[in-house]
Amino acid sequence: MKKRIFTSESVTEGHPDKVCDQISDAILDAILAEDKQARVACETIATTGMALVMGEITANCYVDIPAIVRRTISEIGYNDPALGFDSRTCAVLTTIDEQSEDIAIGVNHSLEYRSEADKDDGSIIGAGDQGMMFGFACDETPELMPAPISMAHKLARKLSNVRKSGELDFLCPDGKTMVTVEYGDDFKVHRVASIVVSSQHKPDVSLDTLREAIIETVIKRTIDADLMDDKTTVYINPTGRFVIGGPRGDSGLTGRKIIVDTYGGYARHGGGAFSGKDPTKVDRSAAYMARYVAKNIVSAGLARRCEVEIAYAIGVAKPVSVMVDTFGTGVIDDERLAKLVNEKFDLRPYEIIRHLDLARPIYRRTAAYGHFGRTDIDLPWEHTDMAGVLRDAVI
């Protein structure tokens, strides 16, 4: 039997880059709650004792950005000066401009809307930037995600849960997880080859206590025992000490964990980050739509693995290209599937926003533990309501 291994990582909500993602999306949510038509491109930097919010925002409302920043940092768990980053005492700086008028021309009214005599609502909004976005789904897990990133996210979320509940009160917010999965023939999950968990901790806990507690309360409660054997390698805090963490240990920046946000490197990524961007930015909305399309194709039984690429020109509503790749697992050829996607899904930004109901405050909770495959929150791009339509079109 041929073997194939693949590794993916995740990080906890206290990782410095994830702190920044959550701040940016918390600000976006607060603005969308007041103005659904707002244009937001908000990025955050965090380092010892300071958070800086910057970007371009055009909105018909006011939100208290410093208060949102401090609340978000506190909810994550940075509310102790000993951690070197404290929600109550850190400096909060802002430097915000309005969206560029040159960009706004094409976003507010697309090229088609400005040039076509027969205008429809679907062509009002143009893509907020050029670029290509990818979506992916596979049948390795119930949520139709690759197994390595799914397991890594679950470990990271469990690590935060036992910290916040007080069960492991010596843990601190920053942490990372990594899972290596061994596949057998035909991409079937065979076993877990290795697990890495690194967690920030208080200085008075011993390494032996930390390692035993994480194995018993995090790993054994999260990873299926049938997938682990005596050859599975487990590393817990392999450096031996992780007291200095969060923005004190490493500066953070919005959008620096895009592979954690998507498929753990298992599928391609267009390069654009998600957090802090309103849904007119196709970096975000079209990536969600591509996942929605791919997941419905797999859910319909039309492929075991599916990747969808959608590409846009700035200011233009219709995509410049749509690609479907089923890696040889499709029940019909990929070209026919791509044609079916174009027939059954309206991929213009306005229609994506409308169909997935994206102009609302749903983004803060996506900013940690992945934007895809979530079962703890209801995300519209994870629905499989189009699977029957696709199946019927092929039969």
Side-chain angles (χ1 to χ4, degrees):
M1 180 177 63
K2 294 181 180 180
K3 295 180 180 179
R4 172 179 176 267
I5 62 171
F6 196 87
T7 301
S8 294
E9 73 157 350
S10 181
V11 298
T12 66
E13 62 205 71
H15 184 280
D17 294 327
K18 278 291 145 206
V19 170
C20 295
D21 286 342
Q22 290 168 92
I23 290 171
S24 294
D25 272 339
I27 293 168
L28 172 64
D29 278 355
I31 292 172
L32 288 179
E34 301 295 328
D35 180 6
K36 291 185 177 183
Q37 306 303 318
R39 301 289 184 259
V40 181
C42 173
E43 298 182 351
T44 305
I45 295 172
T47 188
T48 305
M50 187 192 80
L52 167 64
V53 178
M54 57 188 177
E56 296 78 44
I57 298 175
T58 300
N60 293 317
C61 65
Y62 168 80
V63 299
D64 189 341
I65 290 178
I68 294 169
V69 172
R70 295 187 189 281
R71 183 170 62 248
T72 304
I73 293 170
S74 178
E75 290 171 353
I76 292 168
Y78 288 110
N79 41 38
D80 181 352
L83 294 173
F85 191 67
D86 177 18
S87 62
R88 294 163 294 189
T89 60
C90 71
V92 178
L93 309 178
T94 62
T95 174
I96 304 294
D97 291 315
E98 292 187 344
Q99 183 182 61
S100 162
E101 293 180 2
D102 294 343
I103 295 175
I105 291 171
V107 176
N108 294 338
H109 296 96
S110 72
L111 178 67
E112 295 96 322
Y113 194 81
R114 285 179 279 128
S115 60
E116 293 177 2
D118 185 17
K119 302 175 181 179
D120 69 317
D121 288 344
S123 65
I124 290 178
I125 296 176
D129 201 352
Q130 74 171 44
M132 64 285 188
M133 296 82 210
F134 290 92
F136 181 80
C138 62
D139 62 0
E140 294 177 17
T141 62
E143 61 272 23
L144 303 186
M145 285 286 287
I149 189 65
S150 179
M151 294 182 193
H153 281 324
K154 290 175 182 177
L155 285 171
R157 192 181 300 115
K158 188 66 172 178
L159 198 61
S160 281
N161 288 344
V162 296
R163 169 181 63 88
K164 288 186 169 183
S165 71
E167 185 173 3
L168 299 185
D169 59 1
F170 47 78
L171 298 183
C172 297
D174 197 358
K176 287 186 173 185
T177 64
M178 191 163 68
V179 177
T180 300
V181 170
E182 181 182 298
Y183 293 88
D185 292 337
D186 200 21
F187 293 97
K188 291 183 179 178
V189 176
H190 184 60
R191 59 187 289 271
V192 172
S194 70
I195 296 172
V196 183
V197 178
S198 296
S199 179
Q200 184 187 14
H201 58 86
K202 295 179 180 178
D204 55 353
V205 63
S206 72
L207 184 59
D208 288 341
T209 298
L210 177 79
R211 285 175 171 167
E212 181 181 0
I214 288 177
I215 289 172
E216 294 298 323
T217 65
V218 176
I219 294 176
K220 288 187 177 180
R221 294 182 190 176
T222 304
I223 304 299
D224 187 345
D226 292 337
L227 294 176
M228 299 179 65
D229 54 35
D230 57 1
K231 294 183 179 180
T232 300
T233 304
V234 177
Y235 295 102
I236 308 294
N237 282 30
T239 64
R241 178 180 168 88
F242 186 2
V243 173
I244 300 173
R248 180 189 173 197
D250 190 11
S251 59
L253 176 64
T254 298
R256 204 158 57 180
K257 280 289 175 283
I258 58 176
I259 300 303
V260 172
D261 286 341
T262 53
Y263 307 100
Y266 198 96
R268 283 170 280 198
H269 193 293
F274 299 155
S275 291
K277 296 178 180 178
D278 75 79
T280 66
K281 278 73 172 174
V282 286
D283 276 340
R284 181 167 221 161
S285 54
Y288 290 168
M289 191 65 173
R291 161 64 177 174
Y292 176 68
V293 173
K295 187 173 183 180
N296 275 273
I297 288 172
V298 174
S299 181
L302 302 184
R304 288 191 56 206
R305 304 169 73 230
C306 180
E307 187 174 71
V308 174
E309 182 198 40
I310 312 171
Y312 292 88
I314 187 169
V316 181
K318 293 181 180 179
V320 299
S321 70
V322 177
M323 181 275 294
V324 176
D325 188 350
T326 61
F327 308 93
T329 69
V331 301
I332 60 175
D333 63 74
D334 293 345
E335 185 178 355
R336 185 180 168 194
L337 262 179
K339 183 179 180 181
L340 183 62
V341 168
N342 278 305
E343 291 173 354
K344 300 301 180 182
F345 297 91
D346 194 330
L347 301 177
R348 295 175 295 175
Y350 177 91
E351 293 298 336
I352 292 175
I353 294 168
R354 184 194 62 80
H355 187 85
L356 297 181
D357 195 13
L358 297 181
R360 56 193 176 101
I362 58 173
Y363 299 107
R364 158 73 196 281
R365 294 184 67 188
T366 68
Y369 313 115
H371 293 247
F372 307 124
R374 300 291 292 270
T375 58
D376 57 319
I377 51 178
D378 181 28
L379 299 174
W381 53 90
E382 291 298 312
H383 295 177
T384 55
D385 51 304
M386 289 293 289
V389 174
L390 294 172
R391 191 184 305 113
D392 291 344
V394 172
I395 294 175

